[in-house]
Amino acid sequence: MTGWERTQYCGALRAGHAGRVVTLNGWVDRRRDLGGLIFVHLRDREGVAQVVFNPERFPDAHETAKAMRSEFVVAVRGEVCRRPPGTENLTLATGEIEVVAQGAVILNDARTPVFPIDDESDVAEDIRLAYRYLDLRRPPLQRNLFLRHRFYQVTRRYLDSQGFIEVETPVLTKSTPEGAR
């Protein structure tokens, strides 16, 4: 995987990044094959970016994109470009730009999920709990996890500034062979 480390989060790309070559890692959110060009919406924890695979400019990347399916984990390297006038997607924070893929790697394939990984899906709670690892990828739960993380960080910083120390209970106990079993 050397050389495919993320340089930018998908949801952080903006028009100001135009002209930069970036490496994105994430899940394939949507894939559209228009007979020549393949468009992939790549999703990570920060949002979605559109990636364009052009068979004439970068045939190897295009071949890799042909195999991509929903929820595959992929790495994509390409140049951030402004979308042509009239093709901007105002519903996306990254809707002014697209990444023209120069290379791509499928890091992991995936079976079709039992429910869509999106905001709008109305999925029964028992199904969501049975597939909690999928449910945690959905945007509302992602927002909750980030909010909880920020709350804990603020609390820890405040308590630390007041001279408190954080001690985990296992640190205060003696290890026993029975406990290891």
Side-chain angles (χ1 to χ4, degrees):
M1 167 104 177
T2 303
W4 289 99
E5 291 83 11
R6 172 188 299 121
T7 61
Q8 200 76 34
Y9 283 104
C10 295
L13 293 174
R14 298 292 182 270
H17 292 101
R20 289 190 196 171
V21 174
V22 297
T23 302
L24 306 174
N25 293 198
W27 291 282
V28 174
D29 198 50
R30 290 191 185 111
R31 179 184 167 278
R32 295 184 322 271
D33 188 341
L34 302 182
L37 297 177
I38 296 176
F39 293 89
V40 169
H41 279 194
L42 191 61
R43 181 185 79 246
D44 65 16
R45 71 181 207 178
E46 299 295 326
V48 175
Q50 178 169 285
V51 181
V52 181
F53 293 88
N54 187 329
E56 294 170 5
R57 292 187 62 200
F58 301 100
D60 291 342
H62 188 265
E63 281 302 311
T64 302
K66 284 181 179 179
M68 291 180 188
R69 297 292 178 262
S70 181
E71 296 306 311
F72 276 32
V73 180
V74 301
V76 175
R77 181 175 298 116
E79 183 180 354
V80 179
C81 300
R82 291 185 75 89
R83 290 191 191 190
T87 63
E88 297 92 351
N89 183 347
L90 302 179
T91 61
L92 290 177
T94 59
E96 292 183 81
I97 57 93
E98 60 191 12
V99 177
V100 178
Q102 298 170 355
V105 175
I106 295 174
L107 302 174
N108 200 16
D109 60 1
R111 285 183 262 148
T112 304
V114 292
F115 56 84
I117 313 295
D118 60 18
D119 277 341
E120 295 85 33
S121 303
D122 188 25
V123 182
E125 187 174 6
D126 58 330
I127 300 293
R128 287 181 38 226
L129 291 173
Y131 296 94
R132 188 72 172 153
Y133 62 96
L134 293 175
D135 195 35
L136 288 173
R137 292 186 202 168
R138 297 174 67 204
L141 282 109
Q142 289 282 305
R143 285 189 293 272
N144 291 346
L145 287 172
F146 282 115
L147 178 62
R148 179 180 174 181
H149 167 74
R150 284 191 290 277
F151 172 76
Y152 283 141
Q153 293 304 309
V154 167
T155 304
R156 283 190 169 106
R157 277 193 295 274
Y158 174 76
L159 291 172
D160 183 58
S161 73
Q162 298 300 310
F164 288 85
I165 62 170
E166 186 171 341
V167 178
E168 295 180 33
T169 306
V171 173
L172 299 177
T173 63
K174 183 178 177 186
S175 175
T176 63
E178 294 81 22
R181 290 185 197 139

